[in-house]
């Protein structure tokens, strides 16, 4: 079945460092891809999404490009802030069955 | 007010007890979901409902049941709780997909359940 694999954490960075969190997927159809963020004590919030190959999702300085050839959707940010500390989840949704699959999550801690 | 609310936010119970977790939404969405979150495993889908008359099992439905009382309400029950059901439970909602729109999900704040 469909699945998502993302890099294990935790990831600890200094403020203004460059962030990459890797995500790869396996899907039989043509899924939509998502990054969700979970701040401490809260539910997940959509960070960005892409619906087809070569689409780039972006929000709050984060971006990710839907790469069909490498089945990847890596999350990047050029300069992280302390407020970006959270758990980040990669996910896919196969529109043929509306089944959303999440990766295990990557905890990011940004230190001043 | 939050669009997706869950009650209770925290619950401690004993093995064998029946537990109900409730979810309400004001987004007007037809689709609702229940997930559990465990460390290192991400979120796993328990049940989902596409409308009031439609209930579907997810990846890990054993030991759980659900009820869709209305478009806005979707409750999750543990008929006889066991310790490995200790987890963080999330309710979510989404719109019907149309054209190229995607199934963005909107999550509640979660219910932390501990089964002793």
């Amino acid at each position: 079945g469909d699945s998502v694999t993302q890099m294990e954490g935790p990831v600890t960075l200094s403020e203004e460092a460059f962030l990459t969190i890797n995500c790869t997927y396996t899907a039989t159809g043509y899924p939509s891809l998502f990054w969700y963020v979970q701040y401490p004590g809260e539910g997940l919030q959509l960070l960005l999404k892409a619906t087809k190959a070569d689409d780039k999702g972006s929000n709050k300085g984060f971006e990710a490009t839907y790469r069909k050839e490498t089945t990847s959707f890596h999350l990047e940010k050029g300069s992280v802030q302390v407020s970006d500390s959270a758990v980040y989840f990669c996910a896919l949704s196969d529109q043929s069955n509306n089944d959303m699959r999440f990766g295990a999550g990557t905890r990011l801690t940004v230190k001043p | 007010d939050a669009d997706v609310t869950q009650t209770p936010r925290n619950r401690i119970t004993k093995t064998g007890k029946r537990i109900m977790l409730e979810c309400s939404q004001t987004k007007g969405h037809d689709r609702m979901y229940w997930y559990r979150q465990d460390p290192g495993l991400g979120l796993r889908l328990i049940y989902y409902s596409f409308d009031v008359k439609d209930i579907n099992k997810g990846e890990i439905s054993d030991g759980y049941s659900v009820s869709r009382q209305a478009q806005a309400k979707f409750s999750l029950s543990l008929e006889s709780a066991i310790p490995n059901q200790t987890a963080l439970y999330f309710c979510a909602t989404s719109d019907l997909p149309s054209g190229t729109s995607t199934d963005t999900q909107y999550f509640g704040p979660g219910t932390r359940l501990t089964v002793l």
Side-chain angles (χ1 to χ4, degrees):
Chain A
D2 295 354
S3 66
V4 174
T5 303
Q6 62 182 101
M7 67 184 284
E8 294 183 14
V11 175
T12 302
L13 296 173
S14 297
E15 206 165 23
E16 299 184 3
F18 184 85
L19 169 70
T20 299
I21 300 178
N22 290 336
C23 172
T24 57
Y25 68 90
T26 302
T28 54
Y30 300 94
S32 296
L33 301 174
F34 306 79
W35 278 100
Y36 282 84
V37 59
Q38 184 181 28
Y39 297 104
E42 298 182 11
L44 280 70
Q45 305 173 22
L46 179 68
L47 180 60
L48 53 83
K49 63 186 180 186
T51 60
K52 60 183 186 296
D54 300 325
D55 270 3
K56 177 184 284 187
S58 61
N59 185 28
K60 299 181 181 180
F62 292 89
E63 57 183 36
T65 301
Y66 190 142
R67 301 286 189 198
K68 187 177 179 182
E69 64 275 13
T70 55
T71 62
S72 64
F73 193 55
H74 304 322
L75 182 69
E76 297 182 337
K77 186 174 186 182
S79 177
V80 293
Q81 305 300 311
V82 172
S83 58
D84 294 327
S85 297
V87 181
Y88 292 83
F89 292 91
C90 186
L92 68 80
S93 174
D94 184 338
Q95 294 187 41
S96 66
N97 61 18
N98 206 52
D99 191 3
M100 182 79 84
R101 294 297 173 114
F102 289 84
T106 302
R107 181 176 298 279
L108 169 67
T109 300
V110 180
K111 296 188 174 181
Chain B
D1 288 340
D3 294 320
V4 183
T5 57
Q6 294 182 231
T7 56
R9 293 295 311 277
N10 288 282
R11 181 72 183 268
I12 300 174
T13 191
K14 295 182 179 180
T15 298
K17 293 292 187 181
R18 184 178 187 274
I19 297 298
M20 179 180 286
L21 309 183
E22 300 191 2
C23 176
S24 294
Q25 53 114 347
T26 58
K27 299 188 76 66
H29 290 169
D30 284 324
R31 300 185 172 200
M32 298 187 73
Y33 308 80
W34 274 105
Y35 293 91
R36 64 177 281 174
Q37 182 181 21
D38 299 277
L41 294 178
L43 275 73
R44 292 181 292 168
L45 183 64
I46 305 172
Y47 270 95
Y48 60 102
S49 169
F50 286 175
D51 64 40
V52 175
K53 297 181 180 179
D54 178 80
I55 302 289
N56 303 280
K57 292 183 177 181
E59 187 183 352
I60 53 162
S61 59
D62 287 350
Y64 301 94
S65 62
V66 291
S67 174
R68 186 78 184 269
Q69 301 95 323
Q71 186 204 39
K73 296 184 182 297
F74 191 38
S75 59
L76 175 72
S77 294
L78 288 68
E79 297 300 325
S80 179
I82 55 177
N84 76 1
Q85 292 178 312
T86 293
L88 191 54
Y89 290 83
F90 286 103
C91 175
T93 73
S94 70
D95 267 340
L96 286 171
S98 61
T100 59
S101 68
T102 56
D103 186 30
T104 301
Q105 296 193 5
Y106 300 85
F107 286 80
T111 295
R112 185 168 295 282
L113 176 66
T114 303
V115 183
L116 302 176

